[in-house]
Amino acid sequence: MGLSKSFQLVLFVIFGLLLYRIYDLENKEMQLQGSLAIQNYSQHLNQMTEWNEDGEALYKELSKTFTFKFFQYIHSNDSELNYTFGSLAKSDDEFEDKIFKIELSDTKSFPDGRLQVRLSTQSVISTSFVNLEKAATLTIFAYLIIMISFAVLMAIHRRGIKYACDYIEQVPNLSFQAVETSRLRGSLKPIGLALEKSRMELKTSIDNFHKENNLLAKAANQDPVTGFSTRRRFNEHIKKISQSDKQQFGVLAIIKAAELSSINQLQGREAGDEYLSQIAACIRRAAAKFGINEYYRVSSSDFALFIQDITVKEAEKFLILLKGYLDEYAQTIEPDSIAHSGMVPFESNSDTHALLTLADTAVSIAQTSGPNRYHILEKFSGNEQLGDDHWKVTINELINRKGLKFFQQPILPCNNHVDVYRELYARFFNTEGSNLPTASVIAMSERHGLNVDLDKMIVVHTLQLLNANPSLTGNFGVNISASSALQEVFVSWLRDILSSHRTTSARLIFEVNESGMQKNVTASRRFVHEMHKVGAKVAIQQFGLGFSSFKFFREVKPDVIKLDSSYSEGIDQDNNNKFFVRMIVDISRRIGIKVIATGVERQDEKLTLEKMLVDGLQGYYIARPEIIAKTDK
């Protein structure tokens, strides 16, 4: 038993005995007062002579002086002189009677009768009970004061001990914060001085050890192909950040080599090693301006690097430079997709597993965006942290529950002869009604093979929306994944369901990502052909990112191409983009394909694109997406 509990027990026993002693004294005093009351009654009764042996007269006379709980006079010969008041049975209605047990009874015999009485104990008990109540109140109050004071002192003492224990527990984690000696006063002061001395000596020894160990480990943990540090070094570094006492922030970038397995299979390991070496060179060139001195190869095809003390907005310059170098390298080899990048911010208290999961999700999103693209996830929304298994369960549940809603964004026609449409954006939400990140849902559905089911849900919901809301007039664009569009099973299903909704299907334009459609030109051509059979149209999104774009759209011949937003950005000042857009518009007009410019966010961009004779404009400057709330049943 600890000191605190022992002290409390002893204190409780002492005050308990004290309270019992007070009760015993008051009880004895009450018994004495009770005896005096009986004596007084007996003397008074003996002095009475003129009551004519009438019980009622005797009661009335005695009642002037005494209070009875029970009074009974029984005459030996004449029952009319008998008199009874009250009850002989005990009554403990009063709390005082339960505390103090006393009985004031007396029986007296007369020549012609017998008298039995029980006096009221209230007058005898009340004084003792009041005294006991006062004494008990003072005793309990004193006990509480002592206990509270002791508890406060013990809490202060425990807080100091806990601080010392917590500090000692952090020593194995190499935490060397200064000891707060103000929290270790009095008898704990020597502990504080000892901890501070140990801290200084241990920190000096470990710093020297780390310097020597880093030199040896850097030479031992180096990838021979790229010259980057290995996964082990990466794990040590990220652990050091997560457990650091110093406030740190920055970004973590993950770069995934997209074509390593393909090059290894088709051209051999040497070509694969050259491919990785070139990507490593691109990473070094892009990071040269950011003071980075260590890079990591965390798996066969994944690279990583940390940029310290920088915001996400500033670090995006690295991704832009890297994409430029990767695009340059792509022109020298057959695949135009070299690597994809993901970036996430970190702080010194970031959870390691959650950070890597978020970075992996960012790379997955980048892979669905086009060749050599990057993606940034700036913060946790709650779902990225829980890993692939959670995403699989979440998406399955989302599909079964049909947890989506639509936003719409109109496209502005540049002339009256062009029939444009409104694009529908699917927004997903979980069981709590919180929005899920759309790009993450789509990326994870493709990773787990759920994209077909997800696209089916979107198509069915779109048909229900348009059929149930006659006020939604005109044409609507529906986004579906390229991987679904290239699957014959999905295309057959889509053709069959649209055949039963001919009127509605004629109002639909299916928007598919260009980079995904380029993977299989034959399947892409079949998809466009089947959609035309049922009256629907096809639009190719993010057009112009791939190096085979012209060949692709000549063979597939979609109804609409939507230029990637990068061509609209600053086009009023970018002559290269102007040349590309003019060429696309000229070719498209000859083969009957409409051209839509996306990402229009400034008036100068709008005016420039209109002069270049694009068929439609889409972007925040034209109209922001808005939820279909007023008409969506």
Side-chain angles (χ1 to χ4, degrees), residues 20-39:
Y20 178 79
R21 178 59 179 165
I22 294 172
Y23 166 80
D24 185 62
L25 292 174
E26 289 298 331
N27 188 50
K28 290 180 179 179
E29 177 64 22
M30 181 204 63
Q31 297 294 340
L32 178 61
Q33 294 298 324
S35 298
L36 293 176
I38 291 296
Q39 291 179 10

Side-chain angles (χ1 to χ4, degrees), residues 349-362:
N349 59 350
S350 297
D351 179 76
T352 302
H353 177 72
L355 186 66
L356 294 177
T357 300
L358 189 66
D360 186 59
T361 302

Side-chain angles (χ1 to χ4, degrees), residues 134-152:
K134 290 180 180 179
T137 300
L138 291 175
T139 302
I140 293 173
F141 183 76
Y143 172 78
L144 292 177
I145 290 295
I146 294 174
M147 286 300 298
I148 291 173
S149 301
F150 177 78
V152 171

Side-chain angles (χ1 to χ4, degrees), residues 409-412 600-601 606 617-624:
Q409 185 180 33
I411 297 173
L412 176 70
V600 181
E601 297 186 0
K606 173 181 179 293
L617 301 171
Q618 184 180 13
Y620 275 24
Y621 182 77
I622 307 303
R624 291 178 178 268

